[in-house]
Amino acid sequence: MTVQSRAHGFNVLWLQSGGCGGCTMSLLCAEAPDLLTTLDFAGIRLLWHPSLSEETGTEAVELLGAVARGDIRLDALCVEGALLRGPNGTGRFHVLAGTGRPTIEWVRDLAAVAEHVVAVGTCAAYGGVTAAGANPADACGLQYDGRREGGALGAAFRSRSGLPVINIAGCPTHPNWITETLMLLSAGLLGADDLDAYRRPRFYADHLVHHGCPRNEYYEYKASAEKLSDLGCMMEHLGCLGTQAHADCNTRPWNGEGSCTRGGYACINCTAPEFEEPGHPYLATPKIAGIPVGLPTDMPKAWFIALSSLAKAATPERLRRNAVSDHVVMPPTVRDIKRR
Amino acid sequence: MRDASAKDGTARLIVGPFNRVEGDLEVRLEVADGAVRAAFVSSPLFRGFERILEGRDPFDALVIAPRICGICSVSQSQAAALALAQWQGLAPTANGRIATNLLVAAENVADHLTHFHLFFMPDFARAAYADRPWFAAAEARFKAGRGTSARRLIEARATLMHVLGLLAGRWPHTLAIQPGGVTRRAEPRDQMRLLATLGAVRATLEQTLYGAPLERISALADPRELEAWRALGPDGDFRLFLEIAADLDLTHLGRAYDRFLSFGAYPGEEGPHYPAGTFADGVLGGVDEAAIAEDHTFARMEDRAAPHHPFAGSTIPDGFDETGYTWCKAPRLAGQPFETGALARQFMDGQPLARALVAAGGGNVFSRVIGRLIETARTLIAMEGWVRALEPAEPWCAHGTNPSEGRGAGLTEAARGALGHWMEVRNGRIARYQIIAPTTWNFSPRDAAGVPGPLEAALVGAPVQEGETTPLSVQHIVRSFDPCMVCTVH
């Protein structure tokens, strides 16, 4: 497939509903090039964005109306934040200011005229933290309600392109997940096969957070951190789900050179539906007979147990000690490789 | 939206969606004789984070609470960590405290830059101002999504966030801030990298925003100096703002009650870097935390009978409530509404220009923005000192025990003002969690006595031009508070 040129530009309308605005704030952290340069280069035009546009009040309402009527072509509708159905199915927990109408109704109208519909962040994709606990706002995603298809637009929804809602899940999303998705859509290079089982773009969801984690050596030898700020692997005791979480956080750094595990805390699998309700405290690993319940993706349980006990028996002293310290107390031995 | 005029000549305007604020906002105005006669501020989004937190492990607050808000998530983390620390009876390590200050400060400085360059100034690049002498410059620098200064500051902001990437993994929604400190130590090489990052941000601010060293901004003491700067000062966004403010008389726009509140920011060994305090009726005072209460009369919330201290408060939405016009509660201190934010912090700290501007014209559109710009410079200078004060070889995170019963309050400052978390633990689980965010103070509705919140008061008298449906004066006033609506209702 070749990259299609779009002389007319690629029109994006961005709405926020039951979320925190964090995916937009993260998007502004795009670098090399910065966000506006990236969008300009790709011919992506923001028709309206709640943080970045001039139009307020009446001007904004008129613009939304023109898009909904089809007077302005809508290439991608981006929704950030969960869709709120409460109270009692009225949607009135989020009324689009100045319109008297629930945002969920606006989203349904706009999705109907959009070439593509993009859920930005786990809230918009699956409900996310807004749907946690007793879910007081009756929050759901655009096309999922937790793990189940459905959500605000219904399981059968397809945008004009024929694609279902594209779920750029993450809490928040990495800025490049968004820009690259929009650029691929604009170039005509993102199809149904490029989405995974939860309809996340595979370019980042076919990776695991574990890949590239600087604690991998500790993982290999099951040299585990016992408390936050320790250097060891956080899977055994501190709830880390990096071996099961779909994202490229450790091979595509955040804010310069960061990631959750590089920052010293567990991956909580924020790109997954229902990460908001792990069923246990986030920073604790549930175990049965001392074995973590959640095993690395694609790992047979018997092998995991066998390899773990072998690895633990073989843990080098260096890793055993460093794993429970907040700094390297025993550096790797310097050896003359030629004289080995 | 404009309703037909009422009999007495009062027109009703409903202004929304109010963008270039964080979250959702609608303002209802009653307009007569070319000015706002009354304003009713509404937060039209309810999510219910306080309820979501109930029943969970107390440490889950460090995951859930930051996700209230993507623009001040680190402040929410810090408030949650402080509440947990009080519940645990735990003091953070010195490194943990300083590193946390760096993380919060990076977010606060980024917030001030976002506010000034992306949220507030683009209004002066609107076609409605095309006849003003400064318009061409304002359009070139601040046009939404295109202005040269706006673009440069988006880049500088992304660079500043490397402080978070390096020390806290990422931004927003880090888990690095814990009751006992932080989860990642900084090595000496990290200190060098942090200094380089802050140096790059300093360079952009000095070149683009201020046109002068940060120290010179920090030392501003007298409104006459601002006047001289406007006439002859170094070129930069700051000078352009002074010119616009003088032409549009922004010192006479958006005055509220001149009652200020700060919980104190950036804890240190001998108290916070910017101190806690109140200022009301011309008198400075301390913060009596026990005198804080939330009134639900005009919030669509149950428990309307009497105001509650947050340790006794509730968040039960009443979707059928006809009296309420917002999901935002009305916090009061000793029964009175208070304004909070950068101006309040700088005022409490005794920064001379902040004191002089408040003495001259109270809290208004001009003094709020100047308060933010002074604080940006002062905070960046403080951050450079904090990086040098880190001691890599010393401990970074203390660990405590978790009582099955108890409670804790975490009081801090987000960019836009006083932020408090109040948590009660029973049987090892969160039994009650109440939050009062800065915008809840600033954008509160009326209380049982009918007293409007600070923004509602500040909007009274705002000029409305013939035919305006979204009055520019109202936009300037609203945005001068740097509202964070998602925090307001949580």
Side-chain angles (χ1 to χ4, degrees), chain A residues 19-20 31 50 53-58 93-94 97-98 171 228 255 257-259 263 265 276-277 282 326, chain B residues 1 17 19-20 22 24 26 46-47 56 60 67 70 126 143 162 168-171 183 185 189 399 469 479:
Chain A
C20 70
E31 287 183 283
S53 294
E54 179 174 294
E55 297 88 351
T56 289
T58 317
F93 276 143
H94 188 203
C171 186
L228 288 171
N255 305 107
E257 52 183 277
S259 75
Y265 49 92
E276 67 275 11
E277 285 301 333
Y282 281 103
D326 72 351
Chain B
M1 227 187 284
N19 64 328
R20 283 182 285 113
E22 175 52 35
D24 291 79
E26 183 175 281
F46 172 83
R47 291 173 299 161
R56 302 189 84 112
D60 280 3
R67 288 173 162 86
R126 289 171 165 279
K143 187 75 178 169
H162 287 206
R170 69 169 184 181
W171 182 86
T183 56
R185 69 189 292 107
R189 85 98 199 171
H399 299 274
T469 51
R479 295 202 180 94

Side-chain angles (χ1 to χ4, degrees), chain A residues 79-103:
Chain A
V79 179
E80 177 181 359
L83 284 305
L84 307 188
R85 294 169 295 197
N88 306 313
T90 63
R92 300 201 69 80
F93 276 143
H94 188 203
V95 170
L96 187 68
T99 73
R101 260 186 104 204
T103 302

Side-chain angles (χ1 to χ4, degrees), chain B residues 185-273:
Chain B
R185 69 189 292 107
E187 303 289 348
R189 85 98 199 171
D190 298 318
Q191 287 177 288
M192 299 303 109
R193 176 60 49 198
L194 290 167
L195 288 175
T197 299
L198 295 177
V201 175
R202 172 187 269 266
T204 305
L205 296 195
E206 292 183 344
Q207 284 157 19
T208 304
L209 174 55
Y210 299 119
L214 300 181
E215 286 71 13
R216 192 165 162 211
I217 296 292
S218 170
L220 282 170
D222 187 322
R224 276 172 303 188
E225 283 182 75
L226 290 182
E227 195 50 36
W229 196 302
R230 180 178 73 80
L232 298 164
D235 193 32
D237 302 335
F238 186 67
R239 184 179 177 193
L240 181 59
F241 170 68
L242 295 174
E243 198 181 329
I244 294 169
D247 183 48
L248 298 179
D249 202 11
L250 297 184
T251 49
H252 289 98
L253 199 62
R255 191 168 185 174
Y257 295 111
D258 295 347
R259 276 197 293 268
F260 299 102
L261 165 69
S262 170
F263 284 163
Y266 311 122
E269 260 174 64
E270 286 152 27
H273 183 71

Side-chain angles (χ1 to χ4, degrees), chain A residues 16-34:
Chain A
Q16 292 172 335
S17 190
C20 70
C23 291
T24 284
M25 288 298 128
S26 179
L27 179 64
L28 287 169
C29 295
E31 287 183 283
D34 64 278

Side-chain angles (χ1 to χ4, degrees), chain A residues 147-225:
Chain A
R147 282 175 206 283
R148 286 175 296 125
E149 271 193 79
L153 298 177
F157 172 83
R158 294 295 179 269
S159 68
R160 291 197 162 191
S161 65
L163 288 177
V165 173
I166 297 157
N167 291 325
I168 312 178
C171 186
T173 46
H174 191 291
N176 294 6
W177 298 347
I178 302 170
T179 53
E180 287 165 18
T181 300
L182 292 177
M183 286 193 286
L184 286 166
L185 286 173
S186 163
L189 292 175
L190 194 84
D193 293 345
D194 299 311
L195 304 177
D196 82 345
Y198 286 121
R199 301 201 184 129
R200 299 170 290 203
R202 290 178 53 190
F203 70 78
Y204 79 87
D206 278 359
H207 302 265
L208 296 173
V209 169
H210 183 56
H211 301 162
C213 177
R215 297 175 185 234
N216 278 354
E217 195 187 23
Y218 296 101
Y219 170 83
E220 287 164 18
Y221 289 101
K222 295 289 160 289
S224 296

Side-chain angles (χ1 to χ4, degrees), chain A residues 16-26 28-31 34-38 40 48-61 64 84 87-88 92-100 103 129-137 171-172 215 227-231 249 254-260 262-266 268 270 275-278 280-283 326-328, chain B residues 1 14-26 44-49 51-52 56-57 59-60 62-64 67-71 114 118-119 122-123 125-127 143-146 151 154-155 157-159 161-162 164-176 178 182-185 187 189-190 193 317 319-320 327 393-397 399 429 469-470 475 479 486:
Chain A
Q16 292 172 335
S17 190
C20 70
C23 291
T24 284
M25 288 298 128
S26 179
L28 287 169
C29 295
E31 287 183 283
D34 64 278
L35 175 65
L36 297 178
T37 305
T38 304
D40 284 353
W48 194 73
H49 183 291
S51 299
L52 299 170
S53 294
E54 179 174 294
E55 297 88 351
T56 289
T58 317
E59 304 155 330
V61 174
L64 296 185
L84 307 188
N88 306 313
R92 300 201 69 80
F93 276 143
H94 188 203
V95 170
L96 187 68
T99 73
T103 302
V129 162
T130 307
N135 192 1
C171 186
R215 297 175 185 234
K227 55 191 186 303
L228 288 171
S229 81
D230 284 350
L231 295 181
C249 299
W254 290 67
N255 305 107
E257 52 183 277
S259 75
C260 292
R262 282 160 204 252
Y265 49 92
I268 58 171
C270 73
F275 91 97
E276 67 275 11
E277 285 301 333
H280 57 83
Y282 281 103
L283 300 179
D326 72 351
H327 62 289
V328 173
Chain B
M1 227 187 284
I14 296 184
V15 186
F18 229 109
N19 64 328
R20 283 182 285 113
V21 302
E22 175 52 35
D24 291 79
L25 167 66
E26 183 175 281
L45 169 66
F46 172 83
R47 291 173 299 161
F49 269 65
R51 307 296 302 284
I52 286 170
R56 302 189 84 112
D57 182 87
F59 273 76
D60 280 3
L62 295 173
V63 175
I64 304 289
R67 288 173 162 86
I68 288 169
C69 179
I71 196 164
T114 307
L118 299 185
F119 292 178
D123 281 329
R126 289 171 165 279
K143 187 75 178 169
R146 291 213 299 275
R151 295 187 85 118
I154 288 177
E155 281 197 81
R157 178 185 175 283
T159 301
M161 286 306 184
H162 287 206
L164 273 295
L166 190 68
L167 289 179
R170 69 169 184 181
W171 182 86
H173 306 335
T174 175
L175 254 166
Q178 297 286 322
V182 290
T183 56
R184 187 196 185 281
R185 69 189 292 107
E187 303 289 348
R189 85 98 199 171
D190 298 318
R193 176 60 49 198
F320 301 101
W327 299 106
E394 298 297 317
W396 288 72
C397 197
H399 299 274
R429 295 274 151 176
T469 51
T470 310
Q475 298 192 50
R479 295 202 180 94
V486 291

